[in-house]
Amino acid sequence: MSAAPDAGLRLVVAHRGEAADGVVELRLRDPSGADLPPWEPGAHIDVLLGDDLVRQYSLCGAPADRSTWRIAVLREPGGRGGSAFVHDSLRTGDVVRVRGPRNHFALEPSPRYVFIAGGIGITPILPMLTAATAAGAGWRLVYGGRTAASMAFVDELRAEHGDRVRVLPQDEHGLLDLDVFDDDTLVYCCGPPALLDAIERRGRPGSLRVERFAPVEPAEPVRTGCFEVELAHTGTVLTVPPDRSVLEVLEGAGVQILSSCREGTCGTCETGVLEGTVDHRDSLLDAAERAAHDTMFVCVSRAGSRRLRLDL
């Protein structure tokens, strides 16, 4: 059963700095000095910046450091207000509410990796490099951005990982070479939609893991009419019309569901599916996970069958 909404943690901004042109680095701590919850490479947190202003940011520090969480925030002029708030209003000493961490981009075991990062997509990749090194895996990083000045953590990467890292600003080197797929190599990629779309066209089945900060354009729904969701814990049956999401119907019935992005990218509203087939419309699950039909993100995904029985 999905957890009910919670207040999360109240953390203080212990450090604020410029990681690159247009990128702010924040280090968050518990005001009392208590350890923060554990996390693994690929995890992100929800940062509650105000009423109805919740944004997800990848943790890009060291998982072994339980005293601090590090995030980096790109200013997005065409965004919805989250990055502008962080850049213009959030200062050292301010307190923010945080939920998580959650991880839908976990580093899986492999003898070899290729990591590809575009712009701010370097953030979930950073701790993966350290973990891959500790595991004795072979790896290399290809890191692109608009300009060298816009690319965060370049000095840190070069100092810690040397020639395993290739930094290729687009204005100097053009587009990244994405022909990186070899046997026994797992490719992890995070960045803007154009980069992810391009590498997915080249990827081999099972060899690619991507994380999207923006949702993919969904196909037409499998079912154009109403469908039903049954709540297994109570037997309640609710009807979902074409113009409302499962999440909205659940909330309207008083069911408490933790949610955040409402566009299928953050994973907050993940809900178990006990019976039925799901019309997956998220940007998180891979083909095998979709085929299992045992989980769904109720903010965007719908039913492929007449009824879904949910673990609620």
Side-chain angles (χ1 to χ4, degrees):
M1 181 173 183
S2 296
D6 63 75
L9 301 170
R10 292 179 62 83
L11 303 182
V12 65
V13 179
H15 167 82
R16 173 192 164 100
E18 299 295 322
D21 288 352
V23 180
V24 168
E25 174 192 356
L26 302 178
R27 295 178 185 262
L28 308 176
R29 295 181 182 271
D30 187 287
S32 71
D35 281 353
L36 299 176
W39 60 280
E40 296 182 350
H44 70 266
I45 56 175
D46 296 337
V47 181
L48 288 72
L49 301 170
D51 293 338
D52 298 323
L53 189 61
V54 183
R55 296 295 181 266
Q56 291 74 43
Y57 300 111
S58 297
L59 292 171
C60 59
D65 181 4
R66 297 284 299 278
S67 68
T68 304
W69 281 348
R70 180 172 75 163
I71 61 174
V73 181
L74 170 70
R75 180 187 285 277
E76 300 183 72
R80 296 171 296 167
S83 67
F85 181 90
V86 171
H87 279 255
D88 298 336
S89 302
L90 202 57
R91 296 290 179 261
T92 301
D94 288 349
V95 174
V96 293
R97 196 151 51 94
V98 174
R99 295 193 303 238
R102 281 182 301 279
N103 198 342
H104 293 278
F105 193 47
L107 184 66
E108 301 173 20
S110 176
R112 294 193 299 163
Y113 300 95
V114 175
F115 298 101
I116 300 177
I120 199 64
I122 191 62
T123 50
I125 300 294
L126 282 171
M128 291 184 177
L129 306 181
T130 302
T133 301
W139 64 265
R140 61 188 176 94
L141 167 67
V142 180
Y143 181 17
R146 296 186 311 278
T147 65
S150 71
M151 298 170 67
F153 306 117
V154 169
D155 291 343
E156 175 182 320
L157 284 163
R158 286 172 167 159
E160 294 185 5
H161 302 296
D163 59 8
R164 284 182 164 185
V165 174
R166 294 191 67 200
V167 177
L168 303 172
Q170 184 176 342
D171 63 342
E172 300 175 26
H173 299 276
L175 298 178
L176 298 180
D177 178 4
L178 301 181
D179 293 323
V180 297
F181 294 91
D182 295 309
D183 293 339
D184 300 322
T185 299
L186 197 53
V187 178
Y188 276 77
C189 183
C190 185
L195 171 64
L196 300 183
D197 292 343
I199 199 165
E200 284 183 332
R201 289 194 293 268
R202 293 170 171 80
R204 299 178 181 178
S207 65
L208 175 64
R209 306 290 184 270
V210 302
E211 180 166 66
R212 291 181 177 268
F213 295 145
V216 295
E217 187 67 27
E220 289 298 312
V222 172
R223 298 180 64 88
T224 58
C226 298
F227 60 90
E228 295 177 339
V229 292
E230 177 186 348
L231 312 187
H233 293 212
T234 63
T236 303
V237 176
L238 303 172
T239 299
V240 182
D243 60 345
R244 299 184 72 195
S245 69
V246 176
L247 175 61
E248 290 170 336
V249 170
L250 291 171
E251 290 176 332
V255 180
Q256 291 189 314
I257 295 286
L258 195 63
S259 65
S260 181
C261 72
R262 294 179 179 257
E263 59 185 16
T265 57
C266 76
T268 308
C269 68
E270 185 171 8
T271 302
V273 179
L274 303 178
E275 294 178 18
T277 59
V278 182
D279 177 12
H280 294 288
R281 305 173 68 74
D282 62 89
S283 304
L284 292 161
L285 298 179
D286 61 27
E289 291 167 331
R290 289 173 180 243
H293 294 287
D294 59 1
T295 191
M296 70 183 295
F297 300 96
V298 293
C299 65
V300 292
S301 293
R302 304 185 68 78
S305 54
R306 184 183 65 82
R307 177 181 289 193
L308 295 173
R309 188 164 179 257
L310 305 181
D311 188 14
L312 291 173

